[in-house]
Amino acid sequence: MGKMLQFAKSFIFSVIYFSGIYFILDKLFFTKGLYIVGYHRISENLPAKDVHVLAITQKNLADHFQYYNKQFEIITLDQVEPLLKQAKLKKNYMVVTFDDGYRDNFTLGQALFKKFEIPATIFLTASPIEERMPLWTDSIDHMVFSSKLDSVLLKLQNLKGEFSLTTQHDRVQLSELVKNEIKQHNEQIKQQMIKELGYRLEVGIMTSDALMINWHEVKQLMEVNVQMGSHTMHHPTLSAIDLQEAIGELKQSKSLIDQRIGQEVRHFAYPYGRSVDYNDAVKKEVSKIYSTAVTAINGINYSGHDLWELDRVIVENIGVQQLRFRLLKLKIKHYFNKNRR
């Protein structure tokens, strides 16, 4: 039933788009807006069962960039504040962002940023880059997927029980359960839980620095007009930790990145980015330190939108047609919601 409904929706959107109805509606009814897209990792090729669900192939990313150049005016986050103060936007604008600071953003992304002249913003998780360690979520993946066990007994705060490791699906499921539990705790407890997980899985903690970008590579990306933003020091759930600790994450990451790149960091991305992952107190502190902040809340930004709660479309490894449909659905949803009021 679910597949049939998905097929029906895709068919309807295909008819709307390729019949020309979309372009007529866009001209007559759809309000122009600011689109912000969010990516994470880049890969040369992705196997069908790749664990990194938010990675995108180099080819698909190139196709996306080409599409953005044709359909939008691509701008930087520095241009967003004056733009959203306008009474009405006259064009559709696009901001391209990447989260975390993976090295493949440099090795596989630099040529694309240069070729398509994309002034992207990369939000850096500062501590793993500075300490030359993997992001904690990648450490979890490494431990779960490299364990030789067929099952594991866990006692991690609220995550307790025996879990199968027999199949790839079992391991993907367990990895997500563990990450969802661990991200609810502060850095000290998080590190204790990671050590306990390694002990239970009989696997050492991942120490390779190959996944994360280094500061020299960051500066090379800046030479092709890629901007750097902050994504905290350790990638915590800001609403789940003490406010003073959250303020430290905001301030320390900005200070460290400022120092390493020789420029002021003005933009921020909330880790995880859902509305439950930050709160009003955190947002207030963000507004004192940064000029803008992006979420992972699916939507389009219009005149007057909150600069510290910007909507963003998180994009995975999809083709251009599916990307078009996703953005089209957002336009239609906004149009009907606006006219329902």
Side-chain angles (χ1 to χ4, degrees), residues 238-267:
L238 292 169
S239 60
I241 62 176
D242 179 79
L243 181 59
Q244 290 306 311
E245 187 174 352
I247 293 171
E249 289 280 345
L250 301 175
K251 289 184 175 180
Q252 290 168 27
S253 59
K254 182 184 187 308
S255 176
L256 178 59
I257 300 169
D258 284 355
Q259 180 183 353
R260 291 291 182 256
I261 70 174
Q263 289 185 13
E264 183 184 8
V265 169
R266 295 181 293 276
H267 308 290

Side-chain angles (χ1 to χ4, degrees), residues 81-91 93 302-304:
E81 182 176 1
L83 184 71
L84 293 182
K85 286 182 178 179
Q86 296 178 12
K88 185 178 181 181
L89 302 189
K90 298 178 181 178
K91 299 178 182 179
Y93 296 88
Y302 297 95
S303 296

